[in-house]
Amino acid sequence: MSENGGRRSQAQRDAITVEIGYALFSGAFAAAVVFGAFAGPALLFELPGGLETLLLRTGLVVAPVLFVARVVSVLLRFRQSPQPSQPGRTSPDS
């Protein structure tokens, strides 16, 4: 975890909280957009029964899958990226 006995600093906890919030918000937004793209025409227009059902069910399946995929990808990327020692500054090697 960290050098001070395995406990995270307040800044680390804040960064994790912000990243979780970003992951949830961006996942929900992406899922809503995809659901709207699939199910929107079925909700707005008179379509044949089979096509309307297909579009709604596709939206109901794809949206949660996209939500989970987005949340997992954001959190894994956060976990794997090294945090800069001095935010806003580059290292002398770069």
Side-chain angles (χ1 to χ4, degrees):
M1 290 190 198
S2 66
E3 306 83 44
N4 54 357
R7 299 193 60 148
R8 292 187 174 108
S9 69
Q10 183 64 41
Q12 290 171 324
R13 290 193 307 267
D14 290 346
I16 291 168
T17 302
V18 168
E19 199 66 22
I20 290 170
Y22 170 72
L24 292 173
F25 180 79
S26 67
F29 181 76
V33 168
V34 167
F35 179 77
F38 279 106
L43 298 172
L44 293 175
F45 304 113
E46 284 293 324
L47 299 174
L51 180 59
E52 187 173 323
T53 302
L54 176 68
L55 287 173
L56 284 171
R57 288 185 180 167
T58 303
L60 287 172
V61 169
V62 173
V65 170
L66 179 65
F67 173 79
V68 170
R70 177 66 182 162
V71 169
V72 168
S73 70
V74 168
L75 294 179
L76 286 177
R77 187 181 65 220
F78 175 73
R79 190 175 115 202
Q80 293 172 354
S81 66
Q83 299 297 315
S85 59
Q86 296 177 336
R89 298 181 185 223
T90 58
S91 66
D93 298 344
S94 60

